[in-house]
Amino acid sequence: MAKGRFRCELAVFRLCTMSVAVLLGLGLLAAEGRRSRCFLNRAQERCVCYNLSEETAGSIIQCLPATVVEFQGGDVEKYIAFPVTDLDPSVIDTLGSLVVQKIIIGNVLVPEIVLARVLRFFSYTHVKELAFESCIFQGTGDWSNMDGQSLPILSLSFHNVTSAPLMGQEQAFSSLSTWLEALEELAVTGSHATSLPCAIGRVFRALRSLNLAQNSLSDGSLSPAFCQGAFPQLQNLSLHHNKLSSYHGVCEGLELLPGLRHLDLSHNKLTADPSSSCQWPASLRHFNLSSTGLDEVPTPLPPSLEVLDMSHNHLRAVDISLSSLKKLFLNQNLLQAVPPLRSYPMLDTLHLDNNSISEVPWDQVKLLGRLQDVALANNPFSCSCSGAGGLQTLAATGHLGQGWPGDYRCHSPEQYQGWPVARVSVSVLRCDPAAVVAPLCVGLALLAVAGAVCLVRTRPCRRP
Ligand SMILES: *[C@@H]1O[C@H](CO)[C@@H](O)[C@H](O)[C@H]1NC(C)=O
Ligand SMILES: *[C@@H]1O[C@H](CO)[C@@H](O)[C@H](O)[C@H]1NC(C)=O
Ligand SMILES: *[C@@H]1O[C@H](CO)[C@@H](O)[C@H](O)[C@H]1NC(C)=O
């Protein structure tokens, strides 16, 4: 073997094993002899490595052009005893020249002791996002070598993990605080989380986005998690698919988040208690109440909303006024009429698919026609006059969503049942006599006036 090649391989090997390697599960040895290697997708700048082992670690060299590197499978237990000392300058240089921005580690058993040891080496890289998916974290690490250490990682996520590190570990928190104080995005999803201690939120001083979707949080776990001083910069919060049950309980639990802009409560079974006077943070702009089992529009709503999603509920009527609202999603409800549009002067998007709306009256066609995006597919349209005519006029504006014409069908009268609304020919005379009669009358009146003028004019002419 040539010396150069050997050194190169050695560098790669050390790079792998000593730095990123251990943490990334690079040395993940699955069963001996199992095929394992990395695959680069150049177009996506993404590289995926399966069950990498020491023997095949060289194939990670393929991943050098990738900005996203994913390691799947294996376990890093065998590195518990691996001596990780300080890196020599050439390895540090190599780490600094890697273009990788995001690292995903999936289906790995991670001893925390290993994680704690190698996390520091990320400070030599440009990795901004670190994600763990379907991992099991074991034991507790000694994080003291992270004291005062900052890292380039701004986004950290855990999905379907068992006992995510950091949760409920005071010592880990104080050692990692320099880094965590600067973290901007955190996700802990699909991991059966039931609570978040108050102290954790106080560490995440710069956090802007927190995703806690698909966990087991209940109303009572919100107040402690979002206690005074917790997550002071938080703008986006997802509590999608948890065990929340009271609209007002959630409101009370989030009262202390001063800058919250986006809140996702979709897929929780919420009930509203009309006697509560809780106020949502005034900063809220996007509110997602999709699939929350609502029978009525809950009050109060945040006053300055721009986007409101109440789709997939059991709403029969919506009569609210939100003067800054731009997008309103009400698809999949039980509405029988288009909500009064005068209450939303800024609206540009309105989705009403899958409701029980049978007609779009002419006066609303005009208002709807001014929106950029209107959707009314799969409603039981009456294809008598205003039903079909209104929709056809609306379609002519080009702002009806993609369901037109296929998903707009007549439900009545009987002779048109199942017909595409677009195919019903609407006779203006039959449908809107006023539209025809009024101009006719004006015309007749004008004729009469003209006749009279003529008479008056012609008379003096006859005079000598
Ligand atoms: C969640 O992670 C476990 C390993 O901890 C894995 O066996 C399971 O298939 C994962 N579930 C999903 C839905 O990905
Ligand atoms: C609201 O949440 C639902 C379900 O999670 C999602 O499909 C929808 O896109 C969200 N709405 C908006 C406006 O983001
Ligand atoms: C409307 O209902 C149909 C059939 O149930 C479904 O396929 C479609 O996704 C729904 N559309 C919306 C926007 O909810």
Side-chain angles (χ1 to χ4, degrees), residues 276-298:
S276 165
S277 59
C278 172
Q279 295 298 315
W280 294 98
S283 50
L284 260 185
R285 297 290 180 272
H286 291 232
F287 198 14
N288 198 333
L289 291 169
S290 176
S291 303
T292 49
L294 296 174
D295 298 320
E296 284 175 36
V297 177

Side-chain angles (χ1 to χ4, degrees), residues 14 86-96 124:
R14 293 188 69 174
D86 283 333
L87 301 180
D88 64 43
S90 66
V91 176
I92 292 177
D93 280 353
T94 316
L95 286 176
Y124 303 117

Side-chain angles (χ1 to χ4, degrees), residues 107-108 133-136 159-162 190:
N107 295 292
V108 174
E133 293 169 3
S134 301
C135 292
I136 298 174
H159 177 69
N160 180 31
V161 298
T162 308

Side-chain angles (χ1 to χ4, degrees), residues 240 266-267 288 307 309 329:
H240 163 90
S266 60
H267 289 267
N288 198 333
V307 178
D309 190 340
F329 300 96

